[in-house]
Amino acid sequence: MARRARPLGPAVAAGAAAAALVLALALVPLGAVAWRAEAGAGLGPADWAAVRFTLWQAFLSAALSCLLAVPVARALARRNFAGRGVLITLLGAPFILPVIVAVLGLLAVYGRSGLISDALGLLGLGPIDIYGLTGVVLAHVFFNLPLATRLVLQGWLAIPSERFRLAASLGFAPSDVARVLERPMLRATLPGAFLVIFLICMTSFAVALTLGGGPRATTVELAIYQAFRFEFDLGRAALLALVQFALCAAAAVLAFAVALPTGMGAGLDRPVARWDATGRALRLTDAAWLAFAALFLILPLGMVVAKGLPGMAGLPASVFAAAARSVLVALGSAALTLALALPLALAAVRLGGAGGAALQAAGTLSIATSPLVIGTGLFILLFPVADPVALALPVTALVNAAMSLPFALRALVPAVAEAEAGFGRLADSLGVAGRSRLRLVLLPRLRRPAGFALGLSAALSMGDLGVIALFADPSQATLPLQLYRLMAAYRMEDAAGAALLLLILSLALFWVFDRGGRAHAAA
């Protein structure tokens, strides 16, 4: 009662201002896009083909990611082995991996000159053609299989151990456990996981840019880029941007609508013992799926390192200049992300209820907004009053911060709520409020999630190849854009070295911020 009676204070005002800024960044460019779209103009056959390809590749990518994630997550859920924690951590690595680096690794394994094509050549067979739909889906599965596995694994770990103990006492066979316990959990978990990955694949740009292209393998994102960058047809780019937003918004609404509870209930947090999975055949099956997942993830990364080491020594100066610009953009994006996420999290927890939920929803609106949609709208707004090319790097940092904000909120809001629940009443009784409350009570307990949010934002921004591709000229290229240009010029040795440099910098930024957030904290 006492906590509800105290004034809301400046925290809510700061959070409301941050939410307003995020809403403006998402909706004002969209409004500019809608205003610029020419009345009566419609989509041509090539544009509708891009819409169909976008939906089809996103469906295939999400479906394959979820189908493969089920046996991998099941194996992780019912097996304890040395290195299990390392493998689970590895499943998070592709999420912060620069897309262009992963694409280069996939080409080294599955491309026409890759390991598999070389092995097929020894057997007298032709090489693999990775470009087009096959390559786009393969890359999306590489990125999203780990995400799907983590989402499904959480569903498995949420089944109380008492349910498995009861199943064992009733003599359930593995098929009975699957029918009674696992399938209901999957019915509740998989639809949401599918639609989240579908949404991610809908807004993928770098994968389509490097592995797609051509009339039959162009996504809406890529069509916006082509209309804007090569044809300078702002009306067509605007109309495509509206279509992209409508598709993403529909997928986001469906993702929230199908997130249903499993109905498993709570347990007593006892260790889970899986008596149903002791057979030798099941152990071998689980081992095979875990080996497949590890090899699928590690081999492309290993090829990036193996091919990049020889090329790093002779990298041109332009690559290091692009790397410096990328680091500056990443640091700026991380700072902006925290500057928006912290007041939003504080205000959401302070308000609670519908008000807090509304603030969080405003902060996560960018998940349904394509970076290219925002970039196109910002270009339309800036073009009459300033040179958008001169503002390429600040705009890129701002848009990257908006894209990272939903993940930062997921890390910060629970931590703020826990700190307030544990120390809020004591701080109220002592009259600790405002900056003193933030400095003495909250910030010491937010170091870990804030460090994680900063590292994640910096790593995601470091590898971004989206808005910068719309604005930048050759003198302002970031490292991902410079890497793409090296690949387009068939300077593959330099591209491999640049990819390794980008990988090192991305992981280093994440590690420095994440480690800094853990310093002087209990393990």
Side-chain angles (χ1 to χ4, degrees), residues 278-351:
T278 56
R280 182 176 181 180
L282 291 178
R283 288 199 299 269
L284 291 176
T285 300
D286 289 345
W289 279 109
L290 292 174
F292 157 76
L295 189 64
F296 183 63
L297 295 174
I298 293 174
L299 190 56
L301 298 181
M303 291 300 296
V304 169
V305 175
K307 287 184 172 291
L309 285 174
M312 284 194 70
L315 286 175
S318 59
V319 171
F320 293 102
R325 285 189 287 270
S326 287
V327 171
L328 290 176
V329 170
L331 294 176
S333 177
L336 285 171
T337 299
L338 189 62
L340 292 171
L342 186 57
L344 269 172
L346 294 174
V349 173
R350 181 70 61 87
L351 280 176

Side-chain angles (χ1 to χ4, degrees), residues 64-65 67-77 81 83-84 86-94 106 109-110 138 141-150 153 284-302:
L64 286 174
S65 298
L67 288 175
L68 293 174
V70 170
V72 176
R74 180 192 288 119
L76 287 170
F81 54 89
R84 179 177 180 272
V86 174
L87 181 59
I88 293 177
T89 301
L90 177 66
L91 291 178
L106 291 171
V109 177
Y110 303 100
L138 176 66
V141 172
F142 174 81
F143 284 110
N144 294 302
L145 172 60
L147 175 61
T149 300
R150 294 295 293 267
L153 179 61
L284 291 176
T285 300
D286 289 345
W289 279 109
L290 292 174
F292 157 76
L295 189 64
F296 183 63
L297 295 174
I298 293 174
L299 190 56
L301 298 181

